[in-house]
Each structure stands twice: as structure tokens, then as C-alpha cells.
Amino acid sequence: QKEVEQNSGPLSVPEGAIASLNCTYSDRGSQSFFWYRQYSGKSPELIMSIYSNGDKEDGRFTAQLNKASQYVSLLIRDSQPSDSATYLCAVIPLAGGGNKLTFGTGTQLKVEL
Amino acid sequence: EAQVTQNPRYLITVTGKKLTVTCSQNMNHEYMSWYRQDPGLGLRQIYYSMNVEVTDKGDVPEGYKVSRKEKRNFPLILESPSPNQTSLYFCASSAGTGEARSGAFFGQGTRLTVV
């Protein structure tokens, strides 16, 4: 079982719709969770962090964390073509010191006109 | 502007020819790390450093070396590159002694091809 799992996609949504990206993790002791956006050929860019159960909103982005079910999700409201990218879920597992990121392989999002 | 700068951005080299990829950050971050990104495998940590003269292996350290003589610089050294080290490499830095508090801030990437 991978430590951090994401559906590779592509996930296609029409412009203006809500895009929902999901991620599950295996280490129940994980404490910190991050979402990165990566455009093709570019470096990952941190867009959201979440540390406690519930929702965290920042503009059009909402991160949701459910530690009991070991999943974290990212909602993008009013999706725009510029949101088309690969979204990486990253977790800080307790195993290994609780200090370094473990990444999923990413979900490719395509926002269609 | 806060940034992590890697050089070179693109590099094609031959098997066995030693190379160094430089990385420098201007945010006074203690923690720095190197990742490689491969299709289907995602980002994997090669080495990390919690401060000057403190380095340790990540998940895929074989074939790589690093040094941390100054806080801002963290070069990645491939003493005898092989084709399986063809990859996209990222340097990253973080405030504090790890990535848990604020994630990682990535450089622009170095695309390395070993023939």
C-alpha cells in the first residue's frame, strides 16, 4: 500500500464547476497535510495546508481533512482554465521522524471551456 | 524576492562524468532537501539537511552526495552518473528543522539526462 494515494486522472471539469480532488494516506499518526499545484514542466507550488480535522478555506480553494478516515481533499470552486495542472497531495507521516513530506503521485486536472 | 535557485536548469551528460547541481536559497531557512521526480513515482526525497554541516539520507540516496557548508547553499553531487539517474530534480527549503510546519518551497527544477 502506498503511503499517499491519489487518482492519477485526468479529472475533467467544465469551466465554472467545482473540482474535487481526493487523497488517502496510510500513516494514522500523520499530522500535517499540504496541497501543491504543479504546472507541466514547472516546480510544485504550495496552495493549501491543513493540520486539524474539518475545512479550511482560502479564496476558491477549500481543503478538507478527516483523520479518522485518513483522507484529505481539495475543492476548487469556480474552476478556471488556469487551474489546469497536476495537484500533489503531501503528508507528514509520523513514521520516519514526523519531519519530512511524503508525496502522492498527483491528480491531473483539466478545466474545459 | 524569496526564492530557491537551482543551476543548471537543463543538463545532458554522459555516464560516469561527475556533475554538480547547485542550489541556493535567500530565505535563511535551516532545512533544505533534494527531490527527484519520475513519472508514476512522484517526488522522492534524496537527501536533506537540517542545518549547516548536518545532512542525512532521504528515501533514495544511492548514487548521490550532498554538502552543507553554508546555510544558503546545498549542492547535489553525482560522482558517477548513470542513465537511471535521468530525472527531474528539485531543491527545496523549509523554515525550521523540517517540513512539517510550513511545507517546502521548491526551486525551478533541473532536468538531467544521462546518456
Side-chain angles (χ1 to χ4, degrees):
Chain A
Q1 181 189 7
K2 290 183 180 178
E3 289 188 76
V4 180
E5 296 211 50
Q6 297 180 255
N7 188 317
S8 61
L11 172 66
S12 294
V13 300
E15 184 178 6
I18 296 175
S20 178
L21 303 159
N22 300 312
C23 169
T24 59
Y25 59 94
S26 60
D27 188 325
R28 187 170 286 279
S30 300
Q31 295 295 320
S32 304
F33 307 84
F34 304 89
W35 282 99
Y36 286 81
R37 177 177 62 200
Q38 187 176 24
Y39 294 112
S40 181
K42 303 295 186 183
S43 59
E45 174 193 9
L46 180 63
I47 55 173
M48 288 290 286
S49 59
I50 187 166
Y51 305 97
S52 55
N53 278 329
D55 295 359
K56 179 182 177 183
E57 186 174 317
D58 184 0
R60 296 186 297 112
F61 298 101
T62 298
Q64 299 175 317
L65 175 61
N66 184 324
K67 289 185 178 180
S69 300
Q70 295 175 239
Y71 84 76
V72 57
S73 62
L74 179 70
L75 301 179
I76 306 175
R77 288 181 300 282
D78 188 25
S79 295
Q80 302 296 310
S82 59
D83 295 325
S84 297
T86 296
Y87 289 81
L88 306 175
C89 173
V91 172
I92 302 282
L94 188 61
N99 212 18
K100 74 175 189 68
L101 291 162
T102 295
F103 286 85
T105 52
T107 298
Q108 185 183 7
L109 173 66
K110 293 186 176 181
V111 181
E112 298 165 334
L113 294 169
Chain B
E1 180 189 352
Q3 56 187 5
V4 177
T5 303
Q6 297 177 227
N7 280 295
R9 295 288 312 279
Y10 302 91
L11 180 59
I12 301 175
T13 191
V14 296
T15 299
K17 185 177 181 181
K18 181 179 178 179
L19 66 93
T20 299
V21 184
T22 64
C23 174
S24 181
Q25 52 96 2
N26 64 0
M27 294 167 281
N28 202 36
H29 285 167
E30 290 84 2
Y31 190 97
M32 296 185 74
S33 55
W34 276 101
Y35 288 86
R36 62 178 289 174
Q37 187 174 35
D38 302 289
L41 297 176
L43 280 158
R44 295 176 293 167
Q45 193 185 63
I46 302 170
Y47 267 95
Y48 67 94
S49 168
M50 295 175 71
N51 216 322
V52 176
E53 302 291 2
V54 181
T55 63
D56 207 347
K57 297 176 181 179
D59 299 317
V60 289
E62 294 77 21
Y64 304 95
K65 284 177 57 177
V66 293
S67 69
R68 187 95 181 271
K69 293 183 170 53
E70 305 165 282
K71 196 172 186 179
R72 62 185 292 124
N73 295 325
F74 190 44
L76 179 70
I77 303 155
L78 284 73
E79 298 236 332
S80 184
S82 62
N84 65 11
Q85 292 179 298
T86 293
S87 187
L88 179 58
Y89 291 86
F90 290 104
C91 180
S93 72
S94 306
T97 56
E99 297 171 325
R101 195 173 87 188
S102 57
F105 190 85
F106 286 87
Q108 323 96 299
T110 296
R111 186 166 293 280
L112 172 65
T113 302
V114 183
V115 298

